[in-house]
């Protein structure tokens, strides 16, 4: 299951979604997540679902590959759904909407990271939020941290997989038994994984220092420019949000 994490991974491919500016994809993701939590009827549910299908088609990413990314969080999704039924005492309609909101948010986030390089995400955040520079917000540092976080997700998941294989070769029973036993079996992975993470972060800090990171004004190798399809991406996302607001207020 650890190896199934797709968040933070970039998947080489072709299609319209790969040609979009990262600012367009990040803004579209934000508007889509807002739309997911705004709608309240089957009309809004259908709108967000159709929007997802269209974006998935444009990304050329198969549904089976995206389902792999859902495996690590499936327990959280199911637990929240059961809690919504038992504690919230909601009907099946609201339960279905809650389930789709969580799954849709995960799928949308995966599509953005799978079709956008971490460097592009960092540049998109820095450029898109450049207005915060007026209040001296450390925008470049924040964008760099987010970019490095995305880079470390697949690295650490692969490292966790190697540690797990090493533990299994020594006779450890990881992922076997009931829930409590599975939780206990994961404990031997935590300390080696933390040590590996600290070692990699230390090596990264040394590499950044050796390249004089932060010693002067940062230059940009590739400037972001909006393409032909970006305006349609904005229109599409804004229209979806407006329709879900209409669904919540008037339907």
């Amino acid at each position: 299951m650890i190896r199934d994490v797709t968040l933070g991974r970039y998947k080489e491919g072709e299609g319209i979604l790969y040609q979009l500016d990262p600012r367009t994809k990040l803004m579209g993701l934000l508007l889509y997540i807002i739309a997911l939590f705004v709608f309240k009827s089957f009309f809004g549910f259908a709108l967000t679902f159709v929007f997802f299908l269209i974006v998935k088609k444009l990304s050329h990413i198969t549904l089976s590959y995206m389902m792999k990314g859902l495996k690590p969080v499936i327990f959280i999704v199911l637990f929240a759904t059961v809690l919504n039924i038992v504690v919230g005492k909601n009907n099946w309609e609201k339960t279905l909407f809650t389930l789709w909101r969580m799954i849709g948010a995960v799928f949308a986030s995966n599509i953005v990271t799978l079709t956008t390089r971490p460097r592009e995400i960092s540049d998109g955040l820095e450029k898109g939020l450049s207005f915060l520079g007026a209040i001296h917000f450390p925008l470049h540092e924040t964008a760099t941290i987010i970019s490095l976080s995305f880079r470390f997700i697949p690295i650490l998941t692969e490292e966790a997989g190697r540690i797990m294989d090493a533990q299994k070769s020594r006779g450890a029973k990881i992922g076997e038994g009931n829930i409590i036993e599975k939780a206990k079996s994961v404990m031997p992975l935590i300390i080696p994984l933390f040590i590996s993470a600290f070692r990699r972060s230390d090596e990264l800090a040394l590499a950044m220092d050796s390249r004089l990171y932060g010693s002067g004004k940062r230059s940009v190798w590739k400037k972001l420019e909006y393409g032909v399809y970006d305006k349609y991406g904005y229109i599409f996302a804004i229209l979806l949000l407006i329709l879900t607001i209409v669904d919540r207020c008037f339907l």
Side-chain angles (χ1 to χ4, degrees), residues 8-10 21-23 25-26 112-113 115-127 139-151 204 208 213 218-224:
R9 296 179 184 270
Y10 174 74
D21 189 276
R23 291 169 291 180
K25 286 183 273 190
L26 291 171
V112 171
T113 56
T115 59
T116 314
R117 291 182 173 87
R119 179 75 255 172
E120 294 175 344
I121 293 177
S122 174
D123 292 343
L125 285 171
E126 186 173 356
K127 189 72 173 178
L139 187 58
H140 172 60
E141 290 77 7
T142 303
T144 302
I145 292 171
I146 294 174
S147 175
L148 292 175
S149 300
F150 279 119
R151 288 179 182 269
L204 177 62
M208 294 174 72
Y213 177 83
R218 174 177 174 264
S219 60
V220 179
W221 175 66
K222 183 179 179 181
K223 293 184 179 180
L224 297 179

Side-chain angles (χ1 to χ4, degrees), residues 158-218:
E158 291 176 3
E159 185 71 18
R162 286 193 290 268
I163 295 172
M164 185 182 297
D165 291 339
Q167 295 285 3
K168 287 182 177 180
S169 67
R170 293 176 174 86
K173 297 181 179 180
I174 300 176
E176 299 180 6
N178 54 38
I179 296 178
I180 298 177
E181 291 174 346
K182 287 181 180 179
K184 289 181 178 179
S185 67
V186 174
M187 295 303 295
L189 302 176
I190 295 178
I191 295 177
L193 189 59
F194 265 97
I195 293 174
S196 175
F198 285 130
R199 186 185 73 251
R200 289 181 180 275
S201 60
D202 188 51
E203 292 173 352
L204 177 62
L206 290 174
M208 294 174 72
D209 284 339
S210 67
R211 290 167 174 80
L212 302 178
Y213 177 83
S215 61
K217 187 177 180 180
R218 174 177 174 264

